[in-house]
Amino acid sequence: MASFSTSARVLPVLSLHPKRNLSIITSSPSSVHFSNTHLHSLKIRHKSLGLSSFEPGGFVVCSASNNYFSVDEQMKEKQSSEEPYEVKNSMWNWRGYSIRYQYSGSTGPALVLVHGFGANSDHWRKNIMVLAKSHRVYSIDLIGYGYSDKPNPRDFFDKPFYTFETWASQLNDFCKDVVKDQAFFICNSIGGLVGLQAAVMEPEICRGMILLNISLRMLHIKKQPWYGRPLIRSFQNLLRNTAAGKLFYKMVATSESVRNILCQCYNDTSQVTEELVEKILQPGLETGAADVFLEFICYSGGPLPEELLPQVKCPVLIAWGDKDPWEPIELGRAYGNFDSVEDFIVLPNVGHCPQDEAPHLVNPLVESFVTRHATPPASVSAASLYSSN
């Protein structure tokens, strides 16, 4: 146990908003200090309190019972000394397409990790083994990305294939066919739209969701002024239907370009390693990757997060790296006001991909969220949902 001190009065837990996830509550959150320097310290912004955040030093899990408070330590030293769980690669046949996924862990609630644009399941390599200690963890390559098949979008004629509806169907079918259980979705960037769409389409599958710097889709056609929309469509046509698009992709799909792009969106650029660059780049050199890339950057329709969040029935937690240059936190804060969102958590000095840049913050956050919501409703039987598959 770790001691803590505060100059503020400890308030009764029930005096807060019912959607709280804090257990140690003070009238002045900034005055809480943990005396054990080995702690992974945590402060959480709650809707009824002022701004607070994760401190870079780490994380603590707080619990309360009958207004008596305790702090359970989770130390980096313990994490690093434990034997890592083996991560296995496998392929899944989905509608005739080969889908790559990774998995680890044999007990506990199921987690499905969903990557962002241009990434793949390797972007969760710092999370899978840690979370596998107490969860069954799966990380999937969305179709068109990573080492999953990349069907040519032109084969579908005028019907768009690379859409959030397609990826959401893939995610839900993966839970039914491979996971064979309900699951928590942990999503980054556009993966957040995939998770939300999947939860709207088949709400009985998703038990809860964490959105890490979800894409706000600022280039969506609805977010552009009417007079700019014809220009956007002309530019998209140029990329999709002329040699200019392939030339543009050839310039992007290099080690130097990938490194520069990652250094833009990572606040701590020391985390942009050669390993990371190769993990992102190599699948992008496969046949068909250029067509998928160009198709998606020309995809300015489909759902927006503000349209999906009101329809989601499961609990949602949003965490945001406050140094994200692509999805500004000033815009992201508004998404914490939706009824389905139980908390909005600020990750200080972290960029667009918190799971890779700051896994020491994200992994305990996932564990805490899943622990709170792991007990299924009595009316839901996972076995009955998936026993036929």
Side-chain angles (χ1 to χ4, degrees), residues 285-300:
L285 300 178
E286 292 200 335
T287 301
D291 292 315
V292 176
F293 174 87
L294 295 171
E295 185 71 11
F296 184 76
I297 65 174
C298 294
Y299 176 46
S300 55

Side-chain angles (χ1 to χ4, degrees), residues 21 184 207-208 315-317 342 368-377:
N21 74 355
F184 290 89
R207 300 177 68 178
V316 177
L317 185 145
E342 67 175 29
S368 175
F369 176 80
V370 172
T371 297
R372 291 199 304 275
H373 299 289
T375 304

Side-chain angles (χ1 to χ4, degrees), residues 189 213-218 320-321 324-329 332 352:
S189 191
N213 290 65
I214 185 173
S215 171
L216 303 181
R217 306 205 64 202
M218 299 307 297
W320 214 284
D324 187 341
W326 296 345
E327 310 291 350
I329 193 170
H352 185 65

Side-chain angles (χ1 to χ4, degrees), residues 7-190:
S7 59
R9 180 171 58 93
V10 175
L11 303 180
V13 171
L14 295 179
S15 68
L16 281 184
H17 192 288
K19 292 185 353 181
R20 69 192 185 283
N21 74 355
L22 281 175
S23 297
I24 294 183
I25 309 300
T26 77
S27 57
S28 176
S30 62
S31 65
V32 178
H33 305 286
F34 293 91
S35 62
N36 189 327
T37 58
H38 296 290
L39 281 173
H40 289 218
S41 60
L42 169 68
K43 299 179 194 174
I44 297 181
R45 171 192 181 274
H46 191 277
K47 296 175 185 177
S48 61
L49 298 176
L51 176 66
S52 57
S53 60
F54 282 106
E55 292 183 347
F59 188 90
V60 295
V61 177
C62 304
S63 59
S65 176
N66 299 322
N67 291 335
Y68 290 93
F69 298 89
S70 65
V71 181
D72 302 316
E73 301 185 29
Q74 295 188 16
M75 296 183 292
K76 288 181 181 178
E77 291 83 355
K78 180 181 177 182
Q79 244 183 33
S80 61
S81 65
E82 292 180 354
E83 287 295 322
Y85 278 63
E86 181 183 6
V87 178
K88 298 180 180 179
N89 281 271
S90 189
M91 302 300 290
W92 165 54
N93 186 299
W94 180 63
R95 302 181 182 180
Y97 300 112
S98 292
I99 303 298
R100 193 269 291 246
Y101 69 95
Q102 302 181 57
Y103 66 99
S104 186
S106 58
T107 61
L111 314 180
V112 180
L113 316 181
V114 188
H115 63 79
F117 173 59
N120 58 79
S121 59
D122 289 327
H123 213 185
W124 300 95
R125 69 199 185 285
K126 298 179 183 178
N127 317 102
I128 299 175
M129 287 190 295
V130 174
L131 297 174
K133 296 170 187 175
S134 52
H135 307 85
R136 291 169 291 138
V137 186
Y138 302 83
S139 179
I140 188 171
D141 285 358
L142 297 175
I143 191 166
Y145 293 106
Y147 295 100
S148 290
D149 280 351
K150 301 168 180 62
N152 192 322
R154 297 180 186 276
D155 292 344
F156 302 90
F157 303 102
D158 294 330
K159 184 178 180 181
F161 179 74
Y162 292 104
T163 67
F164 292 110
E165 289 79 9
T166 297
W167 290 316
S169 296
Q170 177 191 350
L171 180 56
N172 284 331
D173 288 348
F174 181 77
C175 291
K176 289 182 280 189
D177 295 351
V178 178
V179 181
K180 296 186 182 299
D181 199 355
Q182 298 166 302
F184 290 89
F185 297 163
I186 317 300
C187 314
N188 176 227
S189 191
I190 68 159

Side-chain angles (χ1 to χ4, degrees), residues 238-253:
L238 177 71
L239 289 178
R240 186 189 284 121
N241 299 317
T242 72
K246 293 294 179 67
L247 179 61
F248 173 66
Y249 186 76
K250 187 176 181 180
M251 296 169 59
V252 171

